[in-house]
Amino acid sequence: MMKLVSFNVNGIRAIMKKDFQTDMEELNPDILCLQETKAQDDQVKEALTPFTDYHIIANSAVKKGYSGTAILSKEKPLDVIYDIGVEEHDQEGRVIAAEYKDFFVVVVYVPNSGSALKRLDYRTTWDASFLKFLKELEAKKPVIVCGDFNVAHREIDLARPKANYDKHAGFTQKEIDGMDAFINAGFIDTFRYFNPDEVKYSWWSYRGGARSRNVGWRIDYFLVSKTLKDQVKSAEILNDIMGSDHCPVMIELK
């Protein structure tokens, strides 16, 4: 059995001052993937010093205090790839791919389309480039990709679909088309595979008590190559874990 957890921590140094360490020790994942670390590589590794059982890999943005991803892995990866090999997209520390014997684990923090959808066109090109990167990896071995995709895929995946559709970042048709492209390319949305009708969210605005009222969005995913489908035992959204505006998501492999 293998447990993988993904969590947008909204600042690694901030969340380490909360219950994050205790929560992760209780979960005891084999691989922990983090997004929005908001720190440089050395700062990420320093903040995660208590995680002595893990190899720590970090990828930070050129802009300090922004974006950033990390992978904590009990097993040392065979190889690590930083970014996707497209200069335009490789300035913000959004991707790490760790290679293991039987698959790649990819952590991603997909760009937000921004207020007034100012970054939607950029986001659209990013999605296409990232999918190409995943398919190139998949040509070598199966892929598990997790993280904050910054899109609710279907109406079931957000509390107020009609109010948000094609008006706000995260539920525009272009972003939905981007997620469709991942699914149509053979990647399985594990949570929806196991829970086709369950309404559960992974992100809530800090405004207006959205989390306490459960006015949320499901924008954090584990996608897996079709060839791994039968190895996935479960997929969960861990709503009870606090500390960020997101909550962790998790899969277990047989």
Side-chain angles (χ1 to χ4, degrees):
M1 191 72 71
M2 190 174 191
K3 186 184 291 184
L4 292 85
V5 171
S6 174
F7 195 1
N8 180 322
V9 293
N10 195 17
I12 190 62
R13 290 169 290 185
I15 205 168
M16 282 298 291
K17 296 173 184 172
K18 302 175 185 176
D19 295 327
F20 176 73
Q21 184 181 343
T22 303
D23 290 337
M24 295 306 110
E25 285 174 352
E26 287 179 8
L27 279 177
N28 192 27
D30 297 282
I31 299 173
L32 172 59
C33 295
L34 306 178
Q35 306 91 49
E36 229 179 331
T37 52
K38 295 185 176 179
Q40 299 306 108
D41 293 352
D42 58 331
Q43 295 169 324
V44 173
K45 289 172 182 175
E46 183 181 353
L48 292 169
T49 299
F51 287 84
T52 54
D53 292 343
Y54 293 87
H55 299 274
I56 298 170
I57 306 151
N59 190 11
S60 55
V62 173
K63 179 182 175 183
K64 292 185 176 178
Y66 177 72
S67 188
T69 48
I71 295 177
L72 289 76
S73 176
K74 288 186 176 179
E75 179 185 331
K76 186 178 180 181
L78 302 173
D79 191 23
V80 177
I81 301 166
Y82 299 90
D83 305 311
I84 64 174
V86 179
E87 187 175 355
E88 178 190 10
H89 301 317
D90 290 350
Q91 308 303 308
E92 297 178 345
R94 292 184 177 276
V95 176
I96 306 170
E99 182 180 1
Y100 298 91
K101 178 174 172 284
D102 296 321
F103 46 71
F104 287 97
V105 172
V106 181
V107 59
V108 64
Y109 176 42
V110 172
N112 190 300
S113 296
S115 59
L117 303 176
K118 288 174 187 171
R119 229 182 174 198
L120 180 57
D121 288 342
Y122 170 73
R123 156 67 183 266
T124 304
T125 63
W126 200 97
D127 278 346
S129 295
F130 183 57
L131 178 55
K132 182 173 180 285
F133 171 75
L134 293 179
K135 294 305 286 185
E136 287 168 355
L137 292 182
E138 197 179 47
K140 301 171 190 171
K141 58 179 70 172
V143 171
I144 298 168
V145 54
C146 64
D148 177 359
F149 279 75
N150 262 315
V151 59
H153 190 207
R154 296 284 181 251
E155 289 194 1
I156 192 175
D157 295 319
L158 72 164
R160 294 174 176 166
K162 288 183 173 60
N164 284 283
Y165 176 68
D166 252 355
K167 297 185 187 76
H168 297 107
F171 199 54
T172 66
Q173 191 58 52
K174 284 185 177 180
E175 292 162 319
I176 294 165
D177 291 345
M179 182 55 79
D180 282 342
F182 291 110
I183 304 303
N184 293 338
F187 291 100
I188 293 168
D189 175 353
T190 56
F191 179 79
R192 201 46 80 206
Y193 175 75
F194 283 100
N195 310 281
D197 303 313
E198 185 172 0
V199 175
K200 208 165 187 184
Y201 307 128
S202 66
W203 175 81
W204 304 261
S205 170
Y206 279 133
R207 297 174 185 169
R211 189 161 188 169
S212 63
R213 295 184 296 119
N214 200 29
V215 179
W217 300 55
R218 187 177 75 98
I219 60 175
D220 300 88
Y221 298 80
F222 266 98
L223 308 182
V224 302
S225 297
K226 275 184 180 174
T227 51
L228 290 173
K229 181 177 71 171
D230 293 338
Q231 289 175 242
V232 183
K233 182 193 172 197
S234 65
E236 298 180 52
I237 297 174
L238 306 175
N239 283 162
D240 294 337
I241 294 181
M242 310 297 281
S244 171
D245 50 349
H246 294 250
C247 73
V249 294
M250 179 176 77
I251 61 169
E252 289 183 298
L253 302 179
K254 298 172 188 173

